[in-house]
Amino acid sequence: MIQLAGTALVGILEEALDRHGKSPQAALQVLMSVQRALHHVPDEAVEYLSSRLSLPPVRLRGLVSFYSFLSRTPQGEYVVHLSDNITDQMRGSRKLGDALCERLGVRLGETRSDLRTSVHRTSCIGMADQGPAALVNYRPVTRLDDQRVGLIADLINARVRLEEWPPEFFRVESNIRRSDVIFRKPIEPGAALRASLDRGGKNLEAWEEDLAPTDARRHQLERGGAETLKEIYRAELRGRGGAGFHAGIKWQSVREAARDDRYVLCNADEGEPGAFKDRVLLTDFADMVFEGMTVCGHVVGARKGIVYVRQEYAYLHDHLQGVLERRRARGLLGTNILGSPLDFDIELHFGAGAYICGMETAMIKSIEGRRGIPRRRWPLPVHQGYLKAPTVVNNVETFACAAAISARGGAWFAGIGTPQSTGTRLFCLSGDCERPGTYEYPMGVTIREILRDCGALDAQGIQVGGPSGALINRGDFDRAVCFEDLPGVGAMMVFGPKRDLFDAITNFALFFQHESCGLCTPCRVGTTLLANYVKKFERGVGSPVDIAEVKHISSLMKNMAHCGLGQSASNHLMDSLQKFPHIWESRMKTQEFVPAFDLDWALEEARSLTGRTDPAAHLPARP
Amino acid sequence: MTKATVATCSLAGCFGCHMSLLDIDEKLLDLLQLVEFDRSPINDIKHISRPVDVGLVEGGVCNAENVHVLQEFRRMCKVLVAVGECANTGGVPSMRNGVSLKRCLEQSFIRGLGIEGAQIPDDPELPLLLNRVRPLHHIVKVDYFLPGCPPSADAFWRFLTELLAGRDPALPRELIRFD
Ligand SMILES: Cc1cc2nc3c(=O)[nH]c(=O)nc-3n(C[C@H](O)[C@H](O)[C@H](O)COP(=O)(O)O)c2cc1C
Ligand code: SF4
Ligand code: SF4
């Protein structure tokens, strides 16, 4: 046991408070720092922080129990989280995980008795193009194989500091295989902002001459924002985070809000299994993302932006802070941006392991330092969002597109893609394809074209848009990816001709069961029931009666669940029943209802307690 | 007109659901115009004698005998109805599911106060307990679920008359709200 002298503990806690501040919004950030330093959040820490943050202990305990990377009980000094997406499993992650546990002498989900290490499974960590992957102390290790797993076990057993591990273990590739008009030649830092400010009527030199923010200059700033908003409208930019809502409408609502404190939030939670484009954008195009947020700040009159980054991408912290620093130094962030009266700055905020925090109102709560549970839909975030102030929430890619639009004009953007889906889109290809990675295409590209380029024309099926999207078969390959036809985030997991797709839907069902936040009954109970039905079929005891039940539960969830997670958590099951019925039928050994468990087994405990062996002490499997 | 046949039973339940059925008072006479009861605690017939139209099952499934009875009902009833919370979810008896059967029986028959000759009963006459109490639909296919603890007399009446008239027996909101 690590015995913490009281003063050492206080030192660690105070350091976390110094780094993140003592506002209630800092609570989650502080706890994650404590988790990293102590490998758990001990009860004494909760007590201490509760008085320092002026929050009741139960509020902090609520955070520890909600977020999967926080734990109340001690984890090992080396915490391994094995990415358990279907794409990892298809490359043998389960076996590798077992081998790792064996070499470490620890059981999955447990902590070794000397507190050296713990091994867990976790939802996709955003490395589907270079899996199997894992987080070791929240740093991604990619391309796991037997050799790498063996070395990792040795390094942990020998207690080698992570800094001294072979750097190639931590190498994360961007794997950009195809780029198109937006990302082939990213805009110069400052170009979008300059264009936005210039729309106010004065050229930049004039802006820079005299810093005094006179009424006339404020008026110009205002006009510039209004003109840029027109460009966003002209571009018909729609959100890239899933729902495809028009960015212009959102921005205008916040711009017209009656309050002066407004916020711009960038959603970099990217929790959808199989998605990783936001990671690539934050890695290679961070300037464009930040610039898009700043342009948004100009348009809506916000002074502060926050990027909500999933903990799995926390390894990008220093890189992102570096880009922010550089932008401040170049006058692209901070006060009097490019010499104009525009003030805007950006903060980073990190999650702690929860898919639901990508849902916008859950994200807002998480940034406020609360459990990430979606709130009621109205009032919309544009009216009452972060700290009840009018708030724009957009995806990483949406902001990058906005920057390009400001720099190059809405008409240019609108000329790309299809009438209702303008611009280009990033696709994340993973699974059974020759060249997994990120691909940029104009909207409206067909599935077949993408498959041809990534080397997967023999695929039998594709999960488009992650588990909450659509499972399609060969008959759909000529469909176009755009809001008019096949919408959804650009995550595409490819299943080759030899795969058993039942493995995939099992993985997805368990994913939703794990990630349901538990607020509403249709989803909390529904996701568990659906996972149980899938397991029932896996055991060969499913029947048409159960299929009818799966359909019934699915329709209840679609209609009654509180948020998008529950509403879409059964899509993969419905799609598979329709497009791949044989994976269900081949497991259907009976037409009659059979219990999911063995009735005779259910008497075993009573038999052993009573020592009875008479015929009445048994139940036949079937009546 | 030939009467519809109905069978009823109580598994791991308290008979409260049956009491509520009897609570339809004078409508009971109307009901008897419509149906004829086969196996039921109301008439003390022990086994279903022929295929019946409707089976009403109260209570969850806690032991081997419950399983046999429920399977007989499923075999013999065209329409099987889970009646009341215990049949729908396991209800009060399923509160033991949070504790292992071992602890449960030891507390009752060995460690409990004032026990003499402490021993877990092993008489073959007694049905063995399942490791968990189950709702009906874990064991057999169930056609309708009548909610409530117990479902109100009006709910029984409405459900049965609609069903026997060949209509969808969905209950209006006022019959299934309990607050
Ligand atoms: C369960 C769930 C998870 C989501 N995850 C993300 C996510 O990781 N990233 C994202 O940008 N949007 C996500 N969204 C969509 C957001 O709620 C929101 O619509 C989006 O961030 C708005 O930005 P956009 O208009 O630019 O797409 C998710 C929605 C739901 C229901
Ligand atoms: S649908 Fe699921 S994730 Fe959404 S609020 Fe309900 S329980 Fe939470
Ligand atoms: S549902 Fe209520 S009334 Fe009916 S058997 Fe169970 S406890 Fe008794």
Side-chain angles (χ1 to χ4, degrees), chain A residues 1-4 40 74 113-115:
Chain A
M1 279 292 281
I2 308 172
Q3 277 299 337
L4 273 170
H40 72 307
S113 56
D114 63 354
L115 293 187

Side-chain angles (χ1 to χ4, degrees), chain B residues 39-170:
Chain B
R39 169 185 172 151
S40 171
I42 299 172
N43 53 23
D44 215 20
I45 299 176
K46 299 294 189 217
H47 282 285
I48 303 185
S49 57
R50 62 206 150 140
V52 298
D53 296 313
V54 184
L56 303 175
V57 181
E58 161 193 319
V61 184
C62 82
N63 62 28
E65 189 201 9
N66 292 163
V67 173
H68 290 303
V69 174
L70 181 58
Q71 287 172 339
E72 173 183 302
F73 265 71
R74 181 65 279 183
R75 238 181 0 256
M76 303 299 265
C77 305
K78 236 189 277 168
V79 173
L80 188 69
V81 188
V83 174
E85 248 5 78
C86 298
N88 279 240
T89 69
V92 174
S94 69
M95 284 167 76
R96 82 153 152 96
N97 288 355
V99 185
S100 74
L101 187 58
K102 183 167 192 287
R103 271 194 59 196
C104 211
L105 290 178
E106 284 177 355
Q107 189 62 37
S108 311
F109 296 106
I110 296 182
R111 280 199 300 273
L113 282 180
I115 288 177
E116 286 168 29
Q119 189 206 356
I120 293 174
D122 59 357
D123 191 324
E125 287 287 304
L126 294 172
L128 278 188
L129 294 177
L130 300 176
N131 56 353
R132 300 168 60 86
V133 178
R134 302 279 183 167
L136 306 191
H137 65 276
H138 281 194
I139 314 285
V140 297
K141 175 177 184 286
V142 171
D143 301 304
Y144 292 100
F145 298 86
L146 200 53
C149 178
S152 67
D154 287 344
F156 272 108
W157 174 251
R158 171 79 174 234
F159 175 83
L160 285 171
T161 48
E162 291 294 290
L163 182 72
L164 296 173
R167 288 189 290 266
D168 176 10

Side-chain angles (χ1 to χ4, degrees), chain A residues 356 374 516-520 523 561-563 565-566:
Chain A
I356 189 59
S516 165
C517 85
L519 173 74
C520 68
C523 170
H562 178 70
C563 85
L565 190 153

